[in-house]
Structure formats: structure tokens, C-alpha cells
């Protein structure tokens, strides 16, 4: 709508399924791909020592991307040992984590230690270099004192939007709340929302609670 090209990076969803789902909302992702408006990156978990961030940077440069969806952080963290990671990051955290393996091309190392929490900082750091607006998807935490399962994402991100599915009587209602949004005044209400053929529609909670 704003003529801003974007990247959708996914670990879990097959691109063909994503395109079918998008058509339900009237979005022809295949046509947008042909026009160079969107790049769908399906990250295979069958490859070893995959250089993910170089691929993202190449794709962003190729289509001059302004927006990026990273779907999702949890899957990336679980499969961290499959990827090669920038050595610049390794140097910063070498004192607090175990690093093993040989460099690839002189600028990559491989992690074998449990780095799931610390790697969230790497994702934010690497994606910030693209100068894109990045939407990072992850899972909600089950404990009351943690917004996300990793417990780190909510501090690294500039904004946090949480989606809920709440049972009201015999029906489940989708709701959402903006928990954090740096440099922006945002609503502090929980909003109902629906997903229909035109996309996502968010109800104005301010009008309801006046």
C-alpha cells in the first residue's frame, strides 16, 4: 500500500501454504514476488552451517526492502547449531559462553553451547543494520513474570504487541495489547480484533471504556 518492499522469512511455513493463506485476504504474494515487491525466504532446517544473516542482507539489498518479518525467534534459537554466526558477536560474548568449531570463510564461527537467550541480542543487532522495520514473532511465556518464552525479546525490541485468545462464556475471543512502544504514545487498553477476508480489524477499546 505504501510502495515499501518487504521480506518474509519463515522457518515453519512452506511458501506455497503461505501464499494460499494470503489469497484468502486478497493478497497475491506470487504476483508481488514477480514484481520484486516481496521476497519469501524459506529457511531449510536440513542444511548445516547455513549463513542466515548474509542471505537476509542480500535479499534486502536486492529488493530494497523496508520491512521484514522474522518468523520465528523460537525456532531459530532451538536450531541455532545449524547456522553460522558472525564472529563479531562471538568476540563480545566469548567470556560468558562456550564457542567451538572453526571459522568459515574467516568470518564465521559455530556455537554449540546453550545460547538461546543471548542470541536474541544478535538477531536484533544484525537486523538493525538493514534499516528496515522488523517484526519479530515469538511465543508468549507461560510464567506471569515473563512476556515471552525466552524472557529477553521484550527488552531488546522497541515495541511489544501481545496477542491473546480468551474464553468468554462458550466463545474464544481474540484480543491484543501494545505492552511497549518506544518514542510513541500508545493505547494501554486490551483491544478485541477479528481476522476476516479483508485482513485484521482491531476494535477501538477507548470507545468501549469511555
Amino acid at each position: 500500500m505504501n510502495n515499501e518492499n518487504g521480506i518474509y522469512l519463515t522457518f515453519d511455513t512452506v511458501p506455497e501454504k503461505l501464499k494460499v493463506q494470503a489469497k484468502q485476504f486478497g493478497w497475491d504474494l506470487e504476483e508481488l514476488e514477480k514484481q520484486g515487491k516481496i521476497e519469501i525466504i524459506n529457511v531449510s532446517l536440513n542444511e548445516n552451517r547455513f549463513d542466515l544473516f548474509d542471505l537476509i542482507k542480500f535479499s534486502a539489498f536486492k529488493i530494497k526492502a523496508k520491512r521484514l518479518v522474522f518468523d520465528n525467534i523460537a525456532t531459530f534459537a532451538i536450531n541455532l547449531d545449524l547456522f553460522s554466526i558472525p564472529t563479531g558477536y562471538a568476540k563480545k560474548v566469548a567470556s560468558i559462553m562456550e564457542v567451538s568449531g572453526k571459522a568459515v570463510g574467516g568470518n564465521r564461527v559455530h556455537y554449540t553451547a546453550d545460547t538461546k537467550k543471548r542470541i536474541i541480542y544478535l538477531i536484533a543487532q544484525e537486523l538493525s543494520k538493514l534499516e528496515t522495520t522488523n517484526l519479530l514473532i515469538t511465543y508468549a511465556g507461560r510464567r506471569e513474570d515473563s512476556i515471552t518464552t525466552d524472557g529477553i525479546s521484550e527488552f531488546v525490541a522497541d515495541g511489544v504487541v501481545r496477542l491473546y485468545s480468551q474464553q468468554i462464556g462458550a466463545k474464544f475471543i481474540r484480543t491484543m495489547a501494545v505492552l511497549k512502544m518506544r518514542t510513541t504514545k500508545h493505547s494501554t487498553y486490551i483491544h478485541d480484533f477479528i481476522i476476516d477476508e479483508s485482513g485484521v480489524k482491531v476494535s477501538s477499546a477507548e470507545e468501549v471504556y469511555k
Side-chain angles (χ1 to χ4, degrees), residues 2 4-8 63-69 131-135:
N2 298 320
E4 295 177 339
N5 298 346
I7 293 172
Y8 195 103
I63 67 169
K64 298 180 180 179
K66 294 296 182 182
R67 299 176 182 270
L68 182 144
V69 177
E131 298 184 356
T132 51
T133 298
N134 305 312
L135 177 62

Side-chain angles (χ1 to χ4, degrees), residues 15-177:
E16 287 69 26
K17 289 184 178 181
L18 186 65
K19 292 173 184 178
V20 170
Q21 293 165 0
K23 279 191 175 181
Q24 295 176 335
F25 306 108
W27 307 329
D28 191 341
L29 298 187
E30 195 161 353
E31 179 60 29
L32 291 174
E33 275 187 312
K34 292 177 182 176
Q35 296 175 12
K37 297 285 186 182
I38 189 172
E39 182 100 358
I40 300 175
I41 302 176
N42 182 28
V43 181
S44 172
L45 298 179
N46 294 323
E47 297 185 37
N48 200 21
R49 306 314 184 197
F50 187 71
D51 198 333
L52 178 63
F53 293 110
D54 275 357
L55 176 60
I56 294 173
K57 292 171 187 175
F58 174 78
S59 298
F61 177 78
K62 182 174 68 174
I63 67 169
K64 298 180 180 179
K66 294 296 182 182
R67 299 176 182 270
L68 182 144
V69 177
F70 193 102
D71 184 12
N72 62 69
I73 289 177
T75 303
F76 175 75
I78 291 171
N79 295 281
L80 180 61
D81 61 318
L82 299 179
F83 303 98
S84 60
I85 308 298
T87 52
Y89 180 73
K91 291 176 182 177
K92 293 179 182 179
V93 299
S95 61
I96 56 173
M97 69 192 305
E98 177 188 347
V99 180
S100 67
K102 297 180 180 179
V104 177
N107 66 348
R108 289 290 187 270
V109 295
H110 307 314
Y111 287 23
T112 58
D114 181 11
T115 61
K116 293 176 184 178
K117 288 188 176 182
R118 298 181 187 117
I119 209 66
I120 306 303
Y121 288 100
L122 169 65
I123 295 174
Q125 178 182 322
E126 290 296 307
L127 295 184
S128 68
K129 297 175 183 178
L130 303 177
E131 298 184 356
T132 51
T133 298
N134 305 312
L135 177 62
L136 310 180
I137 300 174
T138 190
Y139 302 125
R142 295 185 180 276
R143 301 198 320 266
E144 292 184 3
D145 60 342
S146 179
I147 296 174
T148 61
T149 52
D150 57 73
I152 299 296
S153 305
E154 55 263 43
F155 301 106
V156 175
D158 292 316
V160 176
V161 178
R162 185 164 185 175
L163 306 182
Y164 306 85
S165 180
Q166 299 177 315
Q167 184 177 1
I168 308 295
K171 185 179 181 181
F172 280 95
I173 304 295
R174 288 189 174 104
T175 60
M176 66 182 297

